[in-house]
Amino acid sequence: MKGRAVVLMGFMGTGKSEVGRRLAQRLGRSFVDTDHAIEERAGKRVAAIFADDGEAAFRRLEREAVADAASRGGVVIAVGGGAVLDPENVRRLRDSGVLVHLTARPEIIVRRVGDGGGRPLLRDDPRAAVTRLLAERGPAYAAVADVTIDTSERNAGQVVEEIQQALERSERWKSST
Ligand code: S3P
């Protein structure tokens, strides 16, 4: 399918995967979750890739998964929370579509990620890691976003609604559909 992609990016626990799946359904488009694509390719979970092969190996796989997803055109893509810290990923994602940044307040994220299970960067002390990483990454997310939506007080269905309304206002989106 052609046309612009919708790219959901932002911090862990902001609902990218769930919202992405629903948004794709609503728009009648395919959904690509890059973390899932990486797991399929590697034949193991993200946490196992970090543990066995290290973060650098994960980031290489992520770069491939992003390039793949971005080349498909017209899909909904959810990328892991670290993907847009890589300028090459940002370039590809920007070329392919509209970047939607999902955010949430730190205390909400801490609640959603629980004990950090499955998320290697949060494993040791989720609260401290969320606070530190959010402060480090927040400006980078904001800098590349076309649209930002705070998911703190919204369920996935409401976030999908917000995204659709934002897309309808976006010249970049309208010019491609
Ligand atoms: C990461 C976020 C995770 C996953 C990996 C690294 C990050 O994805 O890609 O654990 O660096 O923020 P989610 O944002 O979907 O949890």
Side-chain angles (χ1 to χ4, degrees), residues 6 25 32 45-46 50 59-60 63 65 67 71 73 78 80 90 103 111 126 148 159 164 166 169 172:
V6 184
Q25 224 164 36
V32 183
R45 308 303 298 263
V46 167
F50 269 72
R59 298 298 174 197
R60 277 195 297 276
R63 218 168 288 134
S71 72
V90 172
T103 64
R111 202 169 66 211
T148 297
V159 176
Q164 280 201 289
R169 290 191 299 267
R172 210 166 133 70

mmCIF file of all heavy atoms in Angstrom, residues 6 25 32 45-46 50 59-60 63 65 67 71 73 78 80 90 103 111 126 148 159 164 166 169 172:
data_model
loop_
_atom_site.group_PDB
_atom_site.id
_atom_site.type_symbol
_atom_site.label_atom_id
_atom_site.label_comp_id
_atom_site.label_asym_id
_atom_site.label_seq_id
_atom_site.Cartn_x
_atom_site.Cartn_y
_atom_site.Cartn_z
ATOM 1 N N VAL A 6 2.154 5.981 9.371
ATOM 2 C CA VAL A 6 2.009 6.641 10.666
ATOM 3 C C VAL A 6 2.987 5.935 11.593
ATOM 4 O O VAL A 6 2.929 4.710 11.732
ATOM 5 C CB VAL A 6 0.593 6.495 11.253
ATOM 6 C CG1 VAL A 6 0.484 7.299 12.549
ATOM 7 C CG2 VAL A 6 -0.456 6.941 10.248
ATOM 8 N N GLN A 25 -6.035 -1.012 12.445
ATOM 9 C CA GLN A 25 -7.346 -1.597 12.173
ATOM 10 C C GLN A 25 -8.318 -0.519 11.702
ATOM 11 O O GLN A 25 -9.004 -0.673 10.701
ATOM 12 C CB GLN A 25 -7.875 -2.188 13.476
ATOM 13 C CG GLN A 25 -8.497 -3.561 13.323
ATOM 14 C CD GLN A 25 -8.616 -4.201 14.693
ATOM 15 O OE1 GLN A 25 -8.879 -3.494 15.682
ATOM 16 N NE2 GLN A 25 -8.414 -5.494 14.772
ATOM 17 N N VAL A 32 3.051 -2.772 11.768
ATOM 18 C CA VAL A 32 4.383 -3.344 12.002
ATOM 19 C C VAL A 32 4.885 -2.860 13.354
ATOM 20 O O VAL A 32 4.981 -1.657 13.583
ATOM 21 C CB VAL A 32 5.400 -2.888 10.926
ATOM 22 C CG1 VAL A 32 6.745 -3.554 11.165
ATOM 23 C CG2 VAL A 32 4.885 -3.179 9.532
ATOM 24 N N ARG A 45 13.370 -13.301 22.467
ATOM 25 C CA ARG A 45 12.764 -12.082 22.984
ATOM 26 C C ARG A 45 13.805 -10.971 23.103
ATOM 27 O O ARG A 45 15.001 -11.239 23.207
ATOM 28 C CB ARG A 45 12.137 -12.330 24.369
ATOM 29 C CG ARG A 45 11.193 -13.508 24.459
ATOM 30 C CD ARG A 45 10.054 -13.381 23.468
ATOM 31 N NE ARG A 45 9.247 -12.205 23.725
ATOM 32 C CZ ARG A 45 8.107 -12.200 24.424
ATOM 33 N NH1 ARG A 45 7.642 -13.318 24.929
ATOM 34 N NH2 ARG A 45 7.434 -11.090 24.611
ATOM 35 N N VAL A 46 13.294 -9.734 23.131
ATOM 36 C CA VAL A 46 14.182 -8.568 23.251
ATOM 37 C C VAL A 46 15.097 -8.709 24.469
ATOM 38 O O VAL A 46 16.311 -8.467 24.387
ATOM 39 C CB VAL A 46 13.349 -7.262 23.348
ATOM 40 C CG1 VAL A 46 14.222 -6.091 23.784
ATOM 41 C CG2 VAL A 46 12.677 -6.958 22.012
ATOM 42 N N PHE A 50 19.299 -8.634 24.494
ATOM 43 C CA PHE A 50 20.143 -7.776 25.334
ATOM 44 C C PHE A 50 21.079 -8.632 26.188
ATOM 45 O O PHE A 50 22.271 -8.348 26.304
ATOM 46 C CB PHE A 50 19.276 -6.914 26.273
ATOM 47 C CG PHE A 50 18.886 -5.571 25.719
ATOM 48 C CD1 PHE A 50 17.949 -5.456 24.698
ATOM 49 C CD2 PHE A 50 19.424 -4.399 26.240
ATOM 50 C CE1 PHE A 50 17.565 -4.217 24.203
ATOM 51 C CE2 PHE A 50 19.054 -3.147 25.748
ATOM 52 C CZ PHE A 50 18.116 -3.058 24.736
ATOM 53 N N ARG A 59 20.483 -2.898 18.815
ATOM 54 C CA ARG A 59 20.314 -1.660 18.029
ATOM 55 C C ARG A 59 20.575 -1.905 16.543
ATOM 56 O O ARG A 59 19.974 -1.275 15.688
ATOM 57 C CB ARG A 59 21.221 -0.548 18.573
ATOM 58 C CG ARG A 59 20.918 -0.130 20.015
ATOM 59 C CD ARG A 59 19.528 0.435 20.192
ATOM 60 N NE ARG A 59 19.218 0.694 21.603
ATOM 61 C CZ ARG A 59 17.992 0.867 22.071
ATOM 62 N NH1 ARG A 59 16.940 0.815 21.269
ATOM 63 N NH2 ARG A 59 17.778 1.080 23.351
ATOM 64 N N ARG A 60 21.485 -2.831 16.249
ATOM 65 C CA ARG A 60 21.717 -3.157 14.825
ATOM 66 C C ARG A 60 20.470 -3.807 14.231
ATOM 67 O O ARG A 60 20.029 -3.464 13.136
ATOM 68 C CB ARG A 60 22.927 -4.097 14.680
ATOM 69 C CG ARG A 60 24.262 -3.374 14.667
ATOM 70 C CD ARG A 60 25.396 -4.277 14.172
ATOM 71 N NE ARG A 60 25.613 -5.423 15.054
ATOM 72 C CZ ARG A 60 26.359 -5.393 16.163
ATOM 73 N NH1 ARG A 60 26.957 -4.267 16.536
ATOM 74 N NH2 ARG A 60 26.514 -6.479 16.896
ATOM 75 N N ARG A 63 17.825 -1.217 13.708
ATOM 76 C CA ARG A 63 18.043 -0.381 12.522
ATOM 77 C C ARG A 63 17.532 -1.103 11.274
ATOM 78 O O ARG A 63 16.897 -0.501 10.404
ATOM 79 C CB ARG A 63 19.536 -0.046 12.391
ATOM 80 C CG ARG A 63 19.797 1.362 11.916
ATOM 81 C CD ARG A 63 21.259 1.754 12.065
ATOM 82 N NE ARG A 63 21.621 1.955 13.453
ATOM 83 C CZ ARG A 63 22.734 1.469 14.025
ATOM 84 N NH1 ARG A 63 23.599 0.755 13.321
ATOM 85 N NH2 ARG A 63 22.980 1.706 15.289
ATOM 86 N N ALA A 65 15.175 -3.443 11.223
ATOM 87 C CA ALA A 65 13.711 -3.553 11.304
ATOM 88 C C ALA A 65 13.051 -2.222 10.940
ATOM 89 O O ALA A 65 12.014 -2.185 10.268
ATOM 90 C CB ALA A 65 13.294 -3.986 12.714
ATOM 91 N N ALA A 67 14.370 0.103 8.943
ATOM 92 C CA ALA A 67 14.559 0.309 7.502
ATOM 93 C C ALA A 67 13.520 -0.488 6.718
ATOM 94 O O ALA A 67 12.907 0.015 5.762
ATOM 95 C CB ALA A 67 15.969 -0.099 7.091
ATOM 96 N N SER A 71 10.300 1.129 4.577
ATOM 97 C CA SER A 71 10.273 0.963 3.115
ATOM 98 C C SER A 71 8.923 0.430 2.632
ATOM 99 O O SER A 71 8.676 0.382 1.438
ATOM 100 C CB SER A 71 11.394 0.014 2.675
ATOM 101 O OG SER A 71 11.060 -1.304 3.068
ATOM 102 N N GLY A 73 5.777 1.623 3.174
ATOM 103 C CA GLY A 73 4.833 2.646 2.710
ATOM 104 C C GLY A 73 3.405 2.390 3.161
ATOM 105 O O GLY A 73 2.871 1.293 3.005
ATOM 106 N N ALA A 78 4.971 0.882 14.960
ATOM 107 C CA ALA A 78 5.326 1.239 16.344
ATOM 108 C C ALA A 78 6.788 0.870 16.526
ATOM 109 O O ALA A 78 7.191 -0.263 16.240
ATOM 110 C CB ALA A 78 4.464 0.476 17.340
ATOM 111 N N GLY A 80 10.327 0.812 19.092
ATOM 112 C CA GLY A 80 10.740 0.775 20.495
ATOM 113 C C GLY A 80 11.207 2.155 20.952
ATOM 114 O O GLY A 80 11.548 3.018 20.133
ATOM 115 N N VAL A 90 15.703 8.022 12.379
ATOM 116 C CA VAL A 90 14.825 9.196 12.268
ATOM 117 C C VAL A 90 14.688 9.604 10.804
ATOM 118 O O VAL A 90 13.591 9.885 10.318
ATOM 119 C CB VAL A 90 15.371 10.378 13.096
ATOM 120 C CG1 VAL A 90 14.575 11.650 12.814
ATOM 121 C CG2 VAL A 90 15.330 10.050 14.582
ATOM 122 N N THR A 103 3.281 10.290 24.789
ATOM 123 C CA THR A 103 3.941 10.597 26.065
ATOM 124 C C THR A 103 3.038 10.164 27.221
ATOM 125 O O THR A 103 1.866 9.876 27.024
ATOM 126 C CB THR A 103 4.190 12.111 26.250
ATOM 127 O OG1 THR A 103 2.924 12.766 26.321
ATOM 128 C CG2 THR A 103 5.004 12.688 25.148
ATOM 129 N N ARG A 111 3.851 3.099 36.775
ATOM 130 C CA ARG A 111 2.756 2.182 37.097
ATOM 131 C C ARG A 111 2.537 1.176 35.966
ATOM 132 O O ARG A 111 2.366 -0.008 36.186
ATOM 133 C CB ARG A 111 1.484 3.000 37.351
ATOM 134 C CG ARG A 111 0.469 2.257 38.175
ATOM 135 C CD ARG A 111 -0.648 3.167 38.623
ATOM 136 N NE ARG A 111 -1.439 3.635 37.489
ATOM 137 C CZ ARG A 111 -2.048 4.818 37.443
ATOM 138 N NH1 ARG A 111 -1.957 5.658 38.426
ATOM 139 N NH2 ARG A 111 -2.755 5.162 36.382
ATOM 140 N N PRO A 126 13.076 0.164 38.162
ATOM 141 C CA PRO A 126 12.223 0.793 37.145
ATOM 142 C C PRO A 126 11.967 2.277 37.405
ATOM 143 O O PRO A 126 12.063 3.092 36.489
ATOM 144 C CB PRO A 126 10.915 -0.005 37.210
ATOM 145 C CG PRO A 126 11.280 -1.311 37.805
ATOM 146 C CD PRO A 126 12.466 -1.069 38.689
ATOM 147 N N THR A 148 2.210 15.354 19.097
ATOM 148 C CA THR A 148 2.456 14.739 20.416
ATOM 149 C C THR A 148 1.129 14.538 21.129
ATOM 150 O O THR A 148 0.288 15.446 21.160
ATOM 151 C CB THR A 148 3.382 15.632 21.262
ATOM 152 O OG1 THR A 148 4.646 15.733 20.608
ATOM 153 C CG2 THR A 148 3.591 15.044 22.656
ATOM 154 N N VAL A 159 -6.897 7.456 22.555
ATOM 155 C CA VAL A 159 -5.654 7.905 21.906
ATOM 156 C C VAL A 159 -5.780 7.751 20.384
ATOM 157 O O VAL A 159 -5.372 8.634 19.620
ATOM 158 C CB VAL A 159 -4.428 7.127 22.449
ATOM 159 C CG1 VAL A 159 -3.161 7.524 21.699
ATOM 160 C CG2 VAL A 159 -4.253 7.363 23.941
ATOM 161 N N GLN A 164 -6.301 10.243 15.039
ATOM 162 C CA GLN A 164 -7.048 10.446 13.790
ATOM 163 C C GLN A 164 -7.377 11.921 13.583
ATOM 164 O O GLN A 164 -7.252 12.446 12.475
ATOM 165 C CB GLN A 164 -8.324 9.623 13.808
ATOM 166 C CG GLN A 164 -8.058 8.168 13.450
ATOM 167 C CD GLN A 164 -9.312 7.486 12.963
ATOM 168 O OE1 GLN A 164 -10.207 7.230 13.761
ATOM 169 N NE2 GLN A 164 -9.383 7.222 11.680
ATOM 170 N N ALA A 166 -5.747 14.458 14.810
ATOM 171 C CA ALA A 166 -4.502 15.180 14.516
ATOM 172 C C ALA A 166 -4.086 14.956 13.066
ATOM 173 O O ALA A 166 -3.628 15.882 12.389
ATOM 174 C CB ALA A 166 -3.401 14.722 15.470
ATOM 175 N N ARG A 169 -5.850 17.088 10.657
ATOM 176 C CA ARG A 169 -5.407 18.490 10.650
ATOM 177 C C ARG A 169 -4.021 18.638 10.024
ATOM 178 O O ARG A 169 -3.565 19.753 9.795
ATOM 179 C CB ARG A 169 -5.335 19.032 12.087
ATOM 180 C CG ARG A 169 -6.687 19.231 12.760
ATOM 181 C CD ARG A 169 -6.520 20.010 14.063
ATOM 182 N NE ARG A 169 -5.672 19.321 15.025
ATOM 183 C CZ ARG A 169 -6.124 18.490 15.978
ATOM 184 N NH1 ARG A 169 -7.412 18.244 16.080
ATOM 185 N NH2 ARG A 169 -5.296 17.908 16.818
ATOM 186 N N ARG A 172 0.825 17.450 6.090
ATOM 187 C CA ARG A 172 1.739 16.400 5.660
ATOM 188 C C ARG A 172 0.973 15.087 5.409
ATOM 189 O O ARG A 172 1.242 14.356 4.465
ATOM 190 C CB ARG A 172 2.755 16.175 6.792
ATOM 191 C CG ARG A 172 4.092 15.728 6.361
ATOM 192 C CD ARG A 172 5.035 15.912 7.545
ATOM 193 N NE ARG A 172 5.848 14.713 7.737
ATOM 194 C CZ ARG A 172 6.799 14.342 6.928
ATOM 195 N NH1 ARG A 172 7.066 15.040 5.857
ATOM 196 N NH2 ARG A 172 7.506 13.243 7.164
#
